[in-house]
Amino acid sequence: MSNHSAAEAALDALGDPMRRRLLELLHAGPRPVGELAAELPIGRPAVSKHLRVLEGAGLVRHRSEGTRNLYALAPEGLTDVQQWLVGVWDTALAAFASYVAAASTPPADSTPPEQHATRPARHPSGPGGLRT
């Protein structure tokens, strides 16, 4: 799976608020479905379905301990999302830097305004223009 499609799968999975909540609950450590369901307004079957989607997106993994399946975060699953976000951010910053550079650089054929100002002519008789 390429970085873009892995990031896309993770972002799609995170588009559901219940799945984001599951990730928050798993942040504390591995937990069985029953414990997760006890903290959510949905039943165990729905929690299991959400966990399968998260696992398919590489955000969650599970291991069996006896008769229980423990689910845990798969932090490496967020790496692709992080790389995608960094790429988007870097592109936006580069575009902004180009805009600022272009806006702050005067065109090559323009003359600074202070050179356009006319200076008063000096009278041959001196600074005040009075003859003595």
Side-chain angles (χ1 to χ4, degrees):
M1 187 181 290
S2 73
N3 281 353
H4 179 68
S5 60
E8 194 170 312
L11 289 169
D12 285 346
L14 293 172
D16 185 283
M18 198 58 59
R19 293 186 197 125
R20 291 191 304 271
R21 181 68 182 126
L22 279 166
L23 287 185
E24 291 169 4
L25 292 172
L26 290 171
H27 186 68
R31 298 175 70 180
V33 175
E35 279 184 26
L36 294 167
E39 294 192 42
L40 297 169
I42 58 176
R44 288 176 65 144
V47 170
S48 292
K49 286 181 182 179
H50 283 300
L51 288 168
R52 277 195 298 277
V53 171
L54 291 168
E55 188 173 17
L59 299 172
V60 168
R61 66 178 138 228
H62 83 277
R63 71 177 192 273
S64 296
E65 278 191 9
T67 58
R68 296 186 336 166
N69 283 321
L70 292 178
Y71 288 85
L73 287 179
E76 66 279 0
L78 289 174
T79 301
D80 294 324
V81 174
Q82 181 183 15
Q83 289 173 350
W84 179 82
L85 286 170
V86 166
V88 169
W89 183 247
D90 287 348
T91 301
L93 284 179
F96 180 69
S98 294
Y99 172 80
V100 169
S104 64
T105 304
D109 64 338
S110 71
T111 307
E114 58 273 359
Q115 290 183 5
H116 286 294
T118 57
R119 295 185 183 156
R122 291 186 173 212
H123 194 278
S125 63
L130 299 174
R131 294 181 197 212
T132 53

